[in-house]
Amino acid sequence: MTPVSRVSPVHDRIAIVGGGIIGLAVGWRLAQAGRSVDLFEKERVGQGATRAAGGMLAASAEAEPGEHALTALNRQSQALWPDFARELVATSGIDIGMRQDGILNVALTGDDLRRLRAEFGHQQRHGLPTRWLSAAELREREPCLNPGASGAIHSPGDHQVENRLAAEALRVAFTQAGGRIHEGAAVERVLVENGAVRGLHVAGTEHEAGTVLLAAGAWSGGIEGLPEAARPPVRPVKGQMLSVRMATEEPLLRHVVWAPGVYLIPRLDGRLLVGATVEERGFDTRITAGGLLSLLHSAWRALPGIEELPVEETWVGFRPGSRDDAPILGPGPVRGLVYATGHHRNGILLTPITADLVSRFILTGVVEPALRSFGVGRFVRRAA
Ligand code: GLY
């Protein structure tokens, strides 16, 4: 990619705030490059949105009209995933459960069918690699779906990974490369002096660093010490999910399926993930009857056989939502403070491209073109 602008090179020690998949992946790239990297996580790494996610790499199925820059970034990252996964598995020795069966977005009613046809038209106009499946073609692929299902969009390039294993693999890869993980280490404040970071205050002690990477997911907006203009507008977007157990020898589903009100993600180990609510309730960790009811009702409409399956786990996660649903990446108004947050619904998908672009910025000071639409500066109100 052609560099377009150069800012002051950053050097010395690097401190990462947040041990989700994004912080770990950027940290891995930086440690591989020989930099001194300390990662601070308030609990244990990989236990926030990274653990709660479904692991869909859904650049086509989740593409929204009007989000062209985000869709382009999502597609770039999707293309990086197979090599990223190979490198991660080879380095860590951990299989991260990548499945390449694609996603089916299924219509159950006439209304759904018209909506899906419109969505398919949008995808085709924007060159997304999707195809239309008739009811018969759909049944052939997924015979256990509701027999009334009348058609579907197939996104064959929308793969999935087991995000919990990917985080575990990244923990191993990061530490093998020389990165240091500090768990149970809540960052109390970012230390800023004369418009530049000089480190972090963690558990009563100062940790000096020339670069601070803010990768604290939904908690990124609440980190103390940043001037107002440098505070990323990120809020928690609550998602409730659950999983049931399928018979591994005869799984009810093979593809990830989106149906009205729900998505269903079959894992290789026989779990079927059912997600997810989208709720504006701050950091409310409660699993609610209404949340589970709506997920299970929608799942049962799409896949009646789910009725017989034992429920294994329920959980809540917090998507880091920015004001325009796109991530916040790269430099901002405080020298040495770098952002990798606000990934909202696409954190797992955007991990490889975030790791590449953000680590290259930290290593070289170069803001590559792909980063330019995603700076925190886009949220700063301009004078009229
Ligand atoms: N990308 C799926 C979700 O946010 O629920």
Side-chain angles (χ1 to χ4, degrees):
M1 277 178 263
T2 328
V4 292
S5 59
R6 186 167 280 278
V7 297
S8 314
V10 284
H11 44 78
D12 297 325
R13 300 177 64 173
I14 299 164
I16 298 179
V17 186
I21 195 167
I22 296 291
L24 285 166
V26 181
W28 180 35
R29 292 298 188 220
L30 293 168
Q32 280 179 316
R35 298 300 298 270
S36 165
V37 190
D38 288 90
L39 180 149
F40 297 89
E41 164 54 47
K42 60 183 168 38
E43 292 171 4
R44 288 178 44 233
V45 298
Q47 298 302 302
T50 298
R51 181 177 171 79
M56 288 179 287
L57 311 178
S60 296
E62 294 211 47
E64 297 280 349
E67 292 186 343
H68 304 306
L70 178 58
T71 300
L73 193 75
N74 285 342
R75 292 192 67 191
Q76 270 179 281
S77 200
Q78 187 182 57
L80 295 176
W81 251 106
D83 281 348
F84 182 80
R86 264 189 293 278
E87 186 185 353
L88 189 53
V89 172
T91 306
S92 66
I94 295 174
D95 181 348
I96 63 166
M98 186 149 189
R99 285 193 78 164
Q100 312 208 2
D101 305 285
I103 293 184
L104 299 172
N105 193 345
V106 171
L108 298 177
T109 64
D111 257 14
D112 300 339
L113 195 65
R114 284 184 284 280
R115 182 183 50 76
L116 269 197
R117 283 212 179 275
E119 199 171 317
F120 183 61
H122 163 78
Q123 292 172 344
Q124 295 298 293
R125 281 191 297 281
H126 288 87
L128 295 175
T130 55
R131 54 186 291 256
W132 186 261
L133 295 186
S134 67
E137 288 170 317
L138 176 61
R139 246 189 310 283
E140 204 174 298
R141 283 169 188 271
E142 290 295 359
C144 296
L145 285 177
N146 184 328
S150 48
I153 300 172
H154 183 209
S155 312
D158 284 359
H159 307 316
Q160 61 152 305
V161 291
E162 169 45 276
N163 33 289
R164 296 176 183 184
L165 293 174
E168 195 43 44
L170 276 166
R171 167 210 277 276
V172 171
F174 173 62
T175 49
Q176 262 178 28
R180 290 173 293 273
I181 291 178
H182 308 263
E183 295 186 308
V187 171
E188 282 138 15
R189 57 194 301 114
V190 178
L191 302 169
V192 178
E193 220 169 72
N194 302 323
V197 288
R198 67 171 183 82
L200 299 174
H201 204 265
V202 187
T205 48
E206 284 194 6
H207 177 90
E208 299 219 315
T211 300
V212 169
L213 176 70
L214 191 50
W219 288 266
S220 300
I223 306 284
E224 298 290 324
L226 297 178
E228 199 48 41
R231 193 174 285 283
V234 175
R235 70 186 192 288
V237 181
K238 177 180 174 182
Q240 302 186 50
M241 285 182 76
L242 66 116
S243 65
V244 295
R245 171 124 334 240
M246 303 183 289
T248 22
E249 63 286 359
E250 221 180 315
L252 272 190
L253 274 187
R254 271 191 327 111
H255 302 76
V256 173
V257 164
W258 281 66
V262 75
Y263 53 75
L264 302 161
I265 307 175
R267 295 291 205 222
L268 290 167
D269 65 2
R271 280 174 306 142
L272 179 65
L273 277 50
V274 181
T277 63
V278 180
E279 302 170 65
E280 297 287 350
R281 288 182 188 273
F283 288 107
D284 170 17
T285 55
R286 288 173 301 179
I287 310 265
T288 63
L292 295 185
L293 177 68
S294 81
L295 291 174
L296 282 170
H297 183 253
S298 302
W300 172 76
R301 282 185 66 221
L303 189 70
I306 200 172
E307 186 169 306
E308 304 286 341
L309 303 183
V311 173
E312 215 169 66
E313 190 188 346
T314 56
W315 65 93
V316 167
F318 300 105
R319 305 172 184 88
S322 74
R323 284 213 295 272
D324 60 7
D325 293 345
I328 301 170
L329 306 174
V334 172
R335 273 195 319 286
L337 179 68
V338 183
Y339 300 80
T341 187
H343 291 74
H344 195 225
R345 301 181 68 95
N346 301 303
I348 309 298
L349 170 61
L350 286 172
T351 295
I353 192 90
T354 300
D356 284 0
L357 292 171
V358 172
S359 65
R360 285 206 294 261
F361 167 71
I362 292 172
L363 293 169
T364 65
V366 173
V367 178
E368 293 182 20
L371 271 181
R372 286 159 73 198
S373 307
F374 301 103
V376 72
R378 72 188 189 272
F379 298 113
V380 175
R381 203 162 287 148
R382 284 174 186 80

